[in-house]
Amino acid sequence: MSDIDLERVLIGDDDVVPRARYTSAQFGTLEFERLWARVWQVACREEEIAAVGDFCEYLIGDQSILVVRSAPDVVGAYHNSCLHRGTRLAEGSGHFDNECIRCRYHAWRYDLDGRLIEIVDPEEFAPMPDDVRLGQVHVDRWGGFVWVSLDPSAPPLLEYLDPLPKLLAPYHLDRMRMRSYRATVLPANWKVAVDAFNEGYHVQGTHPQILPWTDDVSLEYEPLGIHSHYGRLPNARRKLRPSPRLGLAEGEYDEGEILASFVAGLGGLFYDDELALIDKIRSAPQDGETMLSRYQKGRRALLAARGVEVDDFADDQLTSADDVFFFPNMVGPIYPGSAIIFRVRPNGLDPDSCIKDTWFLEWPREGEVHKPVQRRFYPDWTERDWGIITNQDYANMEHVQVGMKSRGGQGLRLNTRQESNVLHMHRVIDRYLIDS
Ligand code: FES
Ligand SMILES: [Fe+2]
């Protein structure tokens, strides 16, 4: 049990967030006991374990969970620890040959349902019950993701996710497929990384280069159960405009340029034919219809031709993401036909380090056979160029983490509108911490 003084780390009536929540190892321990051990979290995508015998390992803190496809439509999740002397049975991702999980140490074998099927020299062991199994972990599926919970009495997954399944139904995340998987280690608490993608307030401070084509002010933030959401205000979606912070009047900016920069700046969320469409629209201006509306119509047609179900989307959703935060650790922009999902986890038990996974999801073309995606891992985020916007976000992390340790500091004082999702997350964390 963690011996931290709970009262000192909870959020008070003044909404100030104690810094120890990001920096204290004891607080991290408390989070493991009361948060990570109880929430539903995404272990992998279903397409990563497409064939019977495929597995993925999910690491959270010092725990390892093995997710295995044991039959065409059955996925199991087990504590990744041999029943003999505890050896971790598998790492990373891969395939169990002969439909069996074999321990590397003394060769005990389990079937894909986790049942112990062979002990070498069984007569030399004390008798065991017939049905001995690897420790079972709660598992369920939604949106093409495999979710696990270490809590045997966790609520049903759909209840936990409510109301996101309804909000996200038109996107059919279950029909998207992973195009790339990149993971890296960031030198900050896991919440520092989540926070950086759960508000638009930092755009003016960290990414000023995008203000000419980004209306960062007209974002709406809303709690959705224990989760949250942010996106463009409905009436702001209908215009292409720069940040109101720049103080430019209509006529002082070029809509075509804004559209082109916006689509190009989204780092791969738009398909090639959707990029090419911009040049076409810009080179043949048409009176009476805005470029945005022409682009939305054009994009709708291109996505429909790709097989994406576009009927349930309003025009403005074709050029404006739904940024959804799945409590506690997944966030990212979701568009018709594509999504970038960030999953963030503590790196072992270290409060100063986290692992961030970035998944690009896309809509497969008709008849396309999905190729398994290679997981790429960068132990140091500076090894790779993540694109200017993400590089800027990552570069902040270390400074936030070390700065929060300053003895001269007080708690985090959050913007009541633009950082309301961050505060909401902390309040939900508190519910888990208090309700032990
Ligand atoms: S530890 Fe697994 S068989 Fe001995
Ligand atoms: Fe950012």
Side-chain angles (χ1 to χ4, degrees):
M1 219 23 184
S2 166
D3 51 4
I4 197 166
D5 177 358
L6 195 55
E7 285 309 313
R8 294 188 55 183
V9 290
L10 295 179
I11 299 163
D13 295 336
D14 56 2
D15 286 348
V16 173
V17 179
R19 293 180 176 196
R21 296 165 73 92
Y22 290 81
T23 57
S24 148
Q26 287 151 308
F27 187 82
T29 306
L30 191 67
E31 277 181 341
F32 274 103
E33 288 165 2
R34 299 195 183 167
L35 178 77
W36 295 108
R38 294 163 71 193
V39 291
W40 280 102
Q41 45 202 306
V42 167
C44 64
R45 286 284 299 172
E46 278 214 51
E47 61 265 34
E48 291 182 276
I49 47 167
V52 172
D54 287 354
F55 73 87
C56 275
E57 179 195 22
Y58 176 59
L59 289 163
I60 179 70
D62 59 359
Q63 297 301 301
S64 170
I65 297 161
L66 204 50
V67 176
V68 183
R69 188 171 296 270
S70 57
D73 201 34
V74 184
V75 172
Y78 321 115
H79 290 283
N80 190 2
S81 173
C82 181
L83 295 174
H84 178 220
R85 274 166 55 189
T87 304
R88 195 167 275 186
L89 293 163
E91 287 88 45
S93 59
H95 183 82
F96 291 123
D97 290 329
N98 306 318
E99 304 207 346
C100 99
I101 306 168
R102 178 186 179 276
C103 180
R104 71 179 74 220
Y105 201 173
H106 312 90
W108 283 25
R109 294 193 309 133
Y110 305 84
D111 69 14
L112 298 179
D113 292 317
R115 209 161 46 92
L116 180 62
I117 50 171
E118 187 188 348
I119 297 174
V120 178
D121 302 335
E123 65 286 356
E124 295 172 18
F125 283 84
M128 268 182 240
D130 280 347
D131 192 31
V132 179
R133 286 166 182 273
L134 293 172
Q136 303 283 310
V137 173
H138 242 36
V139 60
D140 205 347
R141 290 176 275 168
W142 174 83
F145 298 100
V146 179
W147 302 73
V148 293
S149 173
L150 290 166
D151 182 359
S153 54
L157 176 62
L158 285 182
E159 193 179 298
Y160 177 89
L161 291 175
D162 185 60
L164 300 184
K166 194 162 166 243
L167 175 84
L168 297 174
Y171 292 98
H172 299 284
L173 287 169
D174 55 314
R175 291 177 57 186
M176 292 191 195
R177 294 291 175 264
M178 191 181 271
R179 185 178 76 202
S180 76
Y181 183 143
R182 291 202 169 86
T184 193
V185 175
L186 297 169
N189 186 265
W190 68 274
K191 297 184 289 300
V192 170
V194 169
D195 296 349
F197 297 93
N198 207 6
E199 48 94 350
Y201 181 49
H202 74 281
V203 169
Q204 39 81 34
T206 300
H207 317 296
Q209 80 280 1
I210 74 171
L211 293 180
W213 50 269
T214 305
D215 178 356
D216 55 325
V217 174
S218 308
L219 292 170
E220 178 177 64
Y221 300 82
E222 55 176 340
L224 293 170
I226 60 174
H227 317 281
S228 59
H229 166 258
Y230 70 103
R232 217 62 51 201
L233 286 170
N235 58 2
R237 278 176 168 167
R238 302 202 180 99
K239 282 191 184 154
L240 284 168
R241 65 179 178 201
S243 169
R245 296 180 196 279
L246 299 180
L248 296 173
E250 229 166 294
E252 287 183 296
Y253 50 85
D254 174 356
E255 285 195 6
E257 217 162 286
I258 293 179
L259 182 62
S261 308
F262 162 74
V263 171
L266 285 172
L269 271 170
F270 286 59
Y271 299 108
D272 287 348
D273 50 3
E274 297 168 0
L275 293 170
L277 178 63
I278 293 189
D279 293 337
K280 222 164 98 190
I281 288 177
R282 287 184 77 182
S283 61
Q286 236 170 52
D287 287 340
E289 203 176 9
T290 65
M291 264 189 217
L292 182 61
S293 133
R294 286 173 62 204
Y295 186 72
Q296 287 165 342
K297 274 190 197 151
R299 182 165 197 235
R300 187 187 288 279
L302 289 173
L303 286 172
R306 199 182 169 91
V308 179
E309 287 184 26
V310 286
D311 295 347
D312 291 335
F313 295 112
D315 284 345
D316 48 25
Q317 282 178 292
L318 289 154
T319 45
S320 180
D322 272 318
D323 273 89
V324 173
F325 170 58
F326 299 78
F327 181 84
N329 67 331
M330 211 166 76
V331 67
I334 300 173
Y335 275 88
S338 61
I340 305 182
I341 306 287
F342 307 128
R343 178 185 65 180
V344 186
R345 296 170 278 166
N347 185 8
L349 299 172
D350 184 355
D352 297 323
S353 177
C354 67
I355 301 169
K356 178 171 172 281
D357 303 293
T358 302
W359 303 325
F360 268 88
L361 305 184
E362 69 175 14
W363 199 276
R365 289 195 183 276
E366 197 111 359
E368 184 180 310
V369 180
H370 180 70
K371 287 195 240 64
V373 164
Q374 208 192 332
R375 295 174 166 206
R376 297 190 189 277
F377 179 65
Y378 304 85
D380 175 354
W381 72 267
T382 59
E383 279 173 47
R384 179 176 188 270
D385 181 2
W386 301 85
I388 176 168
I389 298 177
T390 307
N391 289 343
Q392 289 170 326
D393 287 318
Y394 287 178
N396 279 346
M397 308 264 164
E398 184 177 1
H399 301 289
V400 176
Q401 190 67 19
V402 295
M404 272 199 285
K405 294 186 178 181
S406 164
R407 293 189 183 191
Q410 299 165 359
L412 284 66
R413 295 175 187 283
L414 300 170
N415 180 312
T416 56
R417 185 179 73 84
Q418 299 178 72
E419 293 175 305
S420 55
N421 286 358
V422 177
L423 183 62
H424 181 59
M425 175 196 74
H426 279 287
R427 289 216 169 280
V428 178
I429 290 175
D430 275 3
R431 279 191 235 158
Y432 277 86
L433 300 187
I434 294 164
D435 177 21
S436 54

